[in-house]
């Protein structure tokens, strides 16, 4: 089968029981995982853990000894391999710019082979160089040896983007960079990532980079897949000591930027819900034995507001109903990023925020004290 | 005294010998290098053969051709070619195969076919050593073409040998001097060509 376009968009990539050995070395051992269309999946692991080998089985640069890769349900061996690769942007670990071609020709080679007109190629090269922050009028005519390491990596990135592929395989694209430039390129890449909205498999051995860029992270060790999950799943539920060590689970606060409200909210039990028409005196007996000391006051199925133990105690002698002493709480959704929510609570001097899901149900509470205990 | 006309004829014959044998060598040598690149088995055979022929003294190469092909223009071309082939095959092959593996890897990963990789990545990279090989082969061809006069190829060798036989310095120089000029011309022109084709890198 030699269809012109093997796929327009990616729904799902299935790696199923992939194994590859070289003599005595098992580079990849029975690895199975699914990549979901539109996500950035990070492969992370020590040197020699099989990341590159796994990646290269997706564009058929390496044929597995056993196992199958399917893209949108089709075994990739059914695609013409050249067609398949032109549909996949690939950034190799060693950059691999063509030393005898200038930057423009490096980027424009595949379009040229595909028979694009010169003007069309020039326009595309121009657009991509702008995108990776290399002014075309300066860089287009330069040769690779006239570029710094970071500039070369950016050209490699542009070259991989040229055919506008729906899938990217990126093998340590920021590997050779010093920390400052690395950070800068990561930021740029994040904006590119949202711009292009493509499916990306990204190899790194830097856990901070993985957390920063990855939607999900797949941890590899000696050719095997150890655990796959979102950054939060790995941090809060590491399956092995090794994963816990890698994600530095004892110092979760290091990754506070990646957390959402969902990761750190306290679930609410029935006990913490109160009816608005309950007399304050009655509520006091109940709240004194309560852990959180915050009452979620409901009016039937609707949220009336919250009130605190302090507030209830203070008003215990007045002949009031609970509904009379509630205040409007800060409400957040489980998907909200944690840090901005905490900042908002700080400015409003709020001791708690209510978590309300898409269905409008109160699913939990965010209490800074409890957040703190969870992340240290 | 040597007739100017005789020198001119011999020079033209010499030039024809050099360029014809060179053209044949390039036409054969470059494809051979590509074949060597794509098959380990043939690579061994081709490179071993080319080295072997190189080890045979030039005079013997010229002599061997006679029982095989007789004497005259084409046997001479064949003898010169045997000499000129090695630098072309070997240098082209070295140039084609010494490309940074990462470039080849990137090219394959981007979806270039094997042929496109050879055409767009390997060849441009191989130009400098290839041209050095061709230039060397051209100068070699010029000197072998003097020798082939003894198997009836014509060319400046006729004058050189005539001069040697009769201990006639003038006749000898009438053959040798144009040969030196041709060698210099070949060197300069190929250097220019090489520069133009690889300029800017
Ligand atoms: N062509 C090959 N021949 C022999 N062994 C190989 C080959 N390719 C990979 N290996 C071995 O397979 C194992 C996995 O290699 P791989 O390149 O996939 O690791 P990696 O996780 O990408 O490592 P790194 O972070 O250093 O790039 C290593 O032990 C490596 O030595
Ligand atoms: Mg690798």
């Amino acid at each position: 089968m030699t269809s012109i376009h093997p796929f327009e968009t990616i729904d799902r990539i299935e790696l199923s029981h992939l194994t590859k050995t070289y003599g005595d070395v098992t580079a990849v051992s029975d690895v199975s995982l699914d990549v979901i269309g539109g996500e950035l999946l990070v492969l992370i692991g020590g040197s020699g853990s099989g990341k590159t080998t796994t990646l290269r089985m997706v564009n058929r640069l390496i044929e597995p000894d056993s196992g199958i890769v399917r893209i949108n349900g089709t075994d990739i061996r059914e695609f013409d391999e050249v067609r398949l690769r032109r549909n996949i942007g690939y950034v190799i670990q060693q950059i691999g710019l063509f030393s005898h071609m200038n930057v423009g020709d490096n980027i424009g080679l595949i379009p040229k082979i595909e028979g694009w007109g010169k003007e069309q190629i020039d326009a595309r090269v121009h657009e991509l160089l702008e995108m990776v922050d290399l002014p075309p009028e300066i860089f287009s005519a330069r040769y690779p040896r006239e570029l710094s390491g970071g500039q070369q990596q950016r050209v490699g990135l542009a070259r991989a983007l040229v055919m506008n592929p729906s899938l990217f395989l990126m093998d340590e694209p920021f590997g050779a960079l010093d920390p400052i430039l690395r950070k800068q390129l990561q930021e740029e890449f994040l904006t590119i990532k949202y711009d292009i909205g493509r499916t990306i498999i990204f190899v790194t051995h830097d856990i901070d980079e993985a957390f920063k860029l990855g939607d999900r992270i797949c941890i590899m060790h000696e050719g095997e897949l150890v655990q796959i999950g979102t950054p939060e799943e790995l941090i809060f539920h590491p399956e092995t000591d090794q994963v816990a060590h890698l994600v530095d689970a004892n110092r979760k606060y290091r990754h506070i930027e990646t957390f959402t409200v969902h990761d750190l909210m306290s679930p609410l039990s029935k006990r913490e819900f109160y009816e608005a028409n309950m007399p304050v005196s009655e509520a006091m007996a109940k709240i004194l034995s309560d852990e959180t000391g915050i009452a979620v006051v409901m009016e039937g199925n609707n949220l009336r507001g919250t009130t605190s133990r302090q507030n209830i105690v203070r008003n215990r002698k007045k002949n009031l109903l609970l509904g009379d002493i509630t205040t409007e709480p800060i409400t957040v959704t489980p998907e909200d990023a944690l840090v901005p929510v905490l900042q908002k609570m700080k400015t409003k001097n709020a001791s708690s925020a209510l978590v309300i899901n898409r269905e409008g149900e109160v699913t939990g509470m965010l209490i800074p004290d409890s957040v703190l205990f969870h992340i240290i | 005294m040597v007739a100017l006309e005789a020198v001119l004829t011999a020079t033209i014959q010499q030039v024809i010998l050099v360029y014809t044998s060179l053209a044949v060598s390039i036409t054969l040598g470059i494809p051979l290098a590509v074949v060597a690149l794509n098959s380990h088995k043939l690579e061994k055979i081709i490179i071993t053969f080319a080295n072997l022929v190189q080890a045979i003294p030039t005079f013997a190469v010229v002599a061997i051709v006679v029982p095989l092909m007789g004497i005259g223009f084409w046997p001479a071309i064949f003898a010169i070619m045997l000499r000129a082939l090695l630098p072309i095959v070997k240098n082209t092959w070295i140039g084609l195969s010494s490309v940074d593996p990462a470039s080849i890897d990137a090219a394959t990963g981007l979806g270039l076919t094997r042929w496109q990789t050879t055409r767009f990545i390997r060849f441009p990279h191989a130009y400098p050593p290839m041209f050095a090989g061709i230039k060397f082969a051209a100068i070699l061809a010029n000197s072998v073409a003097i020798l082939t006069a003894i198997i009836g190829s014509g060319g400046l060798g006729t004058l050189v040998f005539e001069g040697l036989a009769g201990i006639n310095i003038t006749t000898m120089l009438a053959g040798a001097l144009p040969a030196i000029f041709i060698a210099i011309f070949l060197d300069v022109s190929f250097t220019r060509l090489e520069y133009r084709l690889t300029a800017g890198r």
Side-chain angles (χ1 to χ4, degrees):
Chain A
M1 194 180 96
T2 51
S3 57
I4 297 299
H5 278 288
F7 42 83
E8 291 289 341
T9 56
I10 301 286
D11 298 325
R12 181 172 294 271
I13 304 169
E14 298 158 68
L15 280 62
S16 154
H17 301 290
L18 292 179
T19 296
K20 180 73 191 179
T21 57
Y22 294 103
D24 292 342
V25 182
T26 303
V28 170
S29 170
D30 196 30
V31 164
S32 296
L33 64 92
D34 283 5
V35 186
I36 303 156
E39 79 170 335
L40 191 154
L41 180 80
V42 172
L43 296 181
I44 190 167
S47 193
S49 58
K51 306 179 296 291
T52 298
T53 308
T54 304
L55 196 70
R56 289 162 70 90
M57 287 194 273
V58 177
N59 63 0
R60 293 185 58 192
L61 282 174
I62 295 176
E63 298 285 340
D65 297 337
S66 60
I68 291 187
V69 177
R70 291 191 189 84
I71 295 182
N72 298 346
T74 308
D75 184 339
I76 58 169
R77 283 172 297 191
E78 288 180 30
F79 298 126
D80 172 62
E81 60 181 355
V82 167
R83 278 284 133 214
L84 175 75
R85 290 181 194 137
R86 286 193 198 169
N87 257 279
I88 300 177
Y90 180 42
V91 178
I92 72 166
Q93 195 167 358
Q94 302 83 355
I95 310 178
L97 295 185
F98 308 131
S99 57
H100 61 278
M101 289 183 196
N102 66 27
V103 167
D105 292 341
N106 260 276
I107 299 172
L109 179 61
I110 292 286
K112 180 175 151 189
I113 289 174
E114 289 275 339
W116 293 21
K118 193 180 171 332
E119 274 168 33
Q120 200 186 354
I121 296 175
D122 286 348
R124 182 71 180 140
V125 168
H126 197 95
E127 178 186 16
L128 286 167
L129 284 175
E130 291 282 2
M131 189 173 192
V132 295
D133 259 344
L134 297 171
E137 64 279 10
I138 300 173
F139 286 97
S140 195
R142 287 221 188 149
Y143 282 88
R145 62 177 153 68
E146 297 165 337
L147 303 178
S148 73
Q151 290 165 343
Q152 288 186 19
Q153 289 204 309
R154 281 187 266 184
V155 174
L157 197 62
R159 190 175 63 177
L161 286 164
V162 71
M163 295 307 287
N164 207 5
S166 42
L167 172 62
F168 281 98
L169 308 177
M170 314 187 73
D171 201 343
E172 306 204 23
F174 311 135
L177 305 180
D178 62 75
I180 295 170
L181 192 58
R182 196 183 175 104
K183 220 172 173 149
Q184 185 192 329
L185 267 190
Q186 285 169 352
E187 301 289 344
E188 283 172 22
F189 181 70
L190 270 180
T191 58
I192 293 177
K193 176 192 156 189
Y194 294 124
D195 277 354
I196 57 182
R198 297 300 151 96
T199 310
I200 301 166
I201 308 180
F202 188 106
V203 170
T204 181
H205 48 236
D206 175 353
I207 189 73
D208 292 323
E209 182 168 272
F211 280 158
K212 189 162 185 181
L213 303 177
D215 296 313
R216 286 195 307 150
I217 294 166
C218 169
I219 297 176
M220 296 191 67
H221 181 65
E222 292 181 353
E224 291 180 6
L225 193 161
V226 182
Q227 189 176 350
I228 182 168
T230 61
E232 299 75 29
E233 280 165 1
L234 298 178
I235 294 168
F236 292 106
H237 309 287
E239 278 167 19
T240 65
D241 289 346
Q242 195 194 348
V243 175
H245 179 73
L246 182 72
V247 301
D248 216 350
N250 289 329
R251 296 193 296 152
K252 299 185 179 72
Y253 53 85
R254 283 188 58 216
H255 310 299
I256 193 162
E257 296 276 358
T258 67
F259 298 152
T260 59
V261 166
H262 175 263
D263 301 319
L264 288 152
M265 67 188 194
S266 312
L268 284 176
S269 61
K270 276 223 171 70
R271 294 181 50 87
E272 281 138 325
F273 288 94
Y274 293 75
E275 279 301 324
N277 57 12
M278 182 187 266
V280 173
S281 51
E282 196 180 319
M284 195 186 77
K286 195 176 163 200
I287 201 140
L288 284 177
S289 62
D290 221 8
E291 284 267 314
T292 54
I294 289 165
V296 179
V297 182
M298 304 294 287
E299 222 159 20
N301 278 333
N302 297 324
L303 176 70
R304 172 67 184 261
T306 56
T307 187
S308 64
R309 175 160 43 209
Q310 218 180 3
N311 212 10
I312 292 175
V313 171
R314 211 176 281 150
N315 289 296
R316 68 185 183 279
K317 293 198 174 136
K318 298 178 192 157
N319 194 11
L320 292 171
L321 294 179
L322 211 43
D324 301 328
I325 60 166
T326 59
T327 52
E328 195 185 333
I330 292 180
T331 58
V332 297
T333 71
E335 293 80 23
D336 286 343
L338 179 69
V339 173
V341 167
L342 290 175
Q343 280 162 345
K344 188 172 162 194
M345 290 171 71
K346 182 183 161 197
T347 52
K348 298 211 166 171
N349 208 5
S351 58
S352 68
L354 272 194
V355 186
I356 297 181
N357 69 12
R358 275 201 201 111
E359 284 74 42
E361 299 158 352
V362 179
T363 56
M365 208 183 297
L366 195 70
I367 304 162
D369 282 356
S370 139
V371 168
L372 185 62
F373 284 129
H374 268 95
I375 61 174
I376 59 170
Chain B
M1 264 310 284
V2 200
L4 187 64
E5 206 187 307
V7 178
L8 225 68
T9 312
T11 307
I12 291 169
Q13 283 172 343
Q14 178 82 7
V15 169
I16 291 174
L17 275 172
V18 169
Y19 277 98
T20 310
S21 59
L22 197 63
V24 174
S25 303
I26 293 172
T27 324
L28 273 176
I30 293 175
L32 275 177
V34 175
V35 170
L37 187 75
N38 284 294
S39 153
H40 268 297
K41 244 198 197 145
L42 288 174
E43 173 183 327
K44 258 209 175 120
I45 296 172
I46 291 168
I47 301 298
T48 312
F49 178 76
N51 279 326
L52 201 72
V53 175
Q54 196 69 8
I56 307 173
T58 309
F59 211 81
V61 173
V62 175
I64 282 168
V65 170
V66 179
L68 293 175
M69 299 179 68
I71 60 169
F73 180 75
W74 287 108
I77 293 291
F78 185 71
I80 301 170
M81 184 206 75
L82 281 180
R83 258 292 164 278
L85 209 52
L86 175 90
I88 296 176
V89 175
K90 205 163 183 177
N91 278 31
T92 307
W93 173 74
I94 287 172
L96 292 176
S97 56
S98 68
V99 179
D100 177 10
S103 289
I104 300 298
D105 206 47
T108 315
L110 288 173
L112 269 72
T113 61
R114 215 184 157 83
W115 162 244
Q116 286 164 345
T117 305
T118 308
R119 156 99 172 65
F120 293 106
I121 312 300
R122 290 188 189 273
F123 260 106
H125 177 87
Y127 282 156
M130 200 168 97
F131 275 107
I134 290 173
K135 191 164 79 180
F136 185 60
I139 289 160
L140 217 55
N142 186 41
S143 58
V144 181
I146 301 275
L147 267 188
T148 53
I150 52 172
I151 61 166
S153 68
L156 292 166
T158 351
L159 297 177
V160 175
F161 286 120
E162 202 185 301
L164 279 174
I167 319 180
N168 183 336
I169 302 286
T170 322
T171 315
M172 222 178 70
L173 284 180
L177 283 178
I180 292 169
F181 286 128
I182 291 174
I184 293 170
F185 174 77
L186 287 170
D187 189 84
V188 171
S189 61
F190 276 103
T191 305
R192 282 246 172 122
L193 188 66
E194 178 184 348
Y195 181 79
R196 276 185 54 184
L197 282 166
T198 59
R201 292 197 252 129

